[in-house]
Amino acid sequence: MSIWWSLHLRRDAASVPLARRLLMGTMETAGVDPDISYDLSVALSEACANAVEHGGSAATSDASGAYRVTAYLDGEKCRIEVADSGPGFPSRGRALSRRAPDYAENGRGLCLIQELADHVDFGNKPGRGGAVVSFDKMLKWKKDAPLMAV
């Protein structure tokens, strides 16, 4: 069994629940275990929220533009990628490995994605720039799932 979809979304806060609902609906229809679906949907929400907040052009501070979400359910694994057209991530290892202080109001999204997924990659798009967050998780299935991998 293999399912994939891709969305091109406006950098608007209303796009985050849209992406999350589409992922949850896909996994529910396929018969993925609800706990796995929930973990992936929270991780997706964090990645989308980062794209909405930070994914604009480095030259402007407006909220225009778009970002892309792609999800693959392939066999026993789900892989999700969120790509924006912002300035991208800083040099490897510096800001990505730091945890936000307990009193901070934000800054925990990337750490949360790392905790909820089995494998995570934070990178930058070659050429035009922009951040790419991709993560995957092994799937568990409900008993008698309609699209369960064999």
Side-chain angles (χ1 to χ4, degrees):
M1 183 272 309
S2 183
I3 299 171
W4 75 270
W5 50 258
S6 187
L7 299 172
H8 186 79
L9 299 165
R10 289 175 51 132
R11 283 187 51 235
D12 183 278
S15 68
V16 176
L18 174 65
R20 182 178 175 142
R21 283 189 213 119
L22 183 58
L23 179 66
M24 291 289 286
T26 301
M27 290 194 292
E28 182 179 343
T29 301
V32 174
D33 177 81
D35 291 337
I36 299 295
S37 297
Y38 181 77
D39 286 353
L40 285 167
S41 71
V42 171
L44 174 62
S45 295
E46 292 296 333
C48 290
N50 281 344
V52 167
E53 184 173 348
H54 306 291
S57 168
T60 73
S61 60
D62 69 338
S64 64
Y67 67 101
R68 188 191 72 227
V69 176
T70 306
Y72 306 89
L73 277 78
D74 190 21
E76 298 282 327
K77 181 169 58 173
C78 178
R79 180 167 184 78
I80 297 171
E81 181 178 284
V82 178
D84 64 44
S85 56
F89 289 109
S91 300
R92 276 256 187 236
R94 193 168 53 102
L96 297 180
S97 62
R98 283 196 316 235
R99 184 171 176 248
D102 291 340
Y103 56 82
E105 292 185 21
N106 56 23
R108 294 180 183 85
L110 298 179
C111 291
L112 187 56
I113 293 168
Q114 288 177 312
E115 291 297 318
L116 294 170
D118 295 332
H119 177 264
V120 181
D121 185 48
F122 305 114
N124 293 319
K125 293 192 294 191
R128 299 183 325 209
V132 179
V133 176
S134 59
F135 53 94
D136 56 63
K137 190 167 183 84
M138 295 303 292
L139 298 175
K140 293 180 186 171
W141 300 91
K142 296 186 226 174
K143 183 178 173 144
D144 300 324
L147 299 177
M148 181 169 49
V150 221

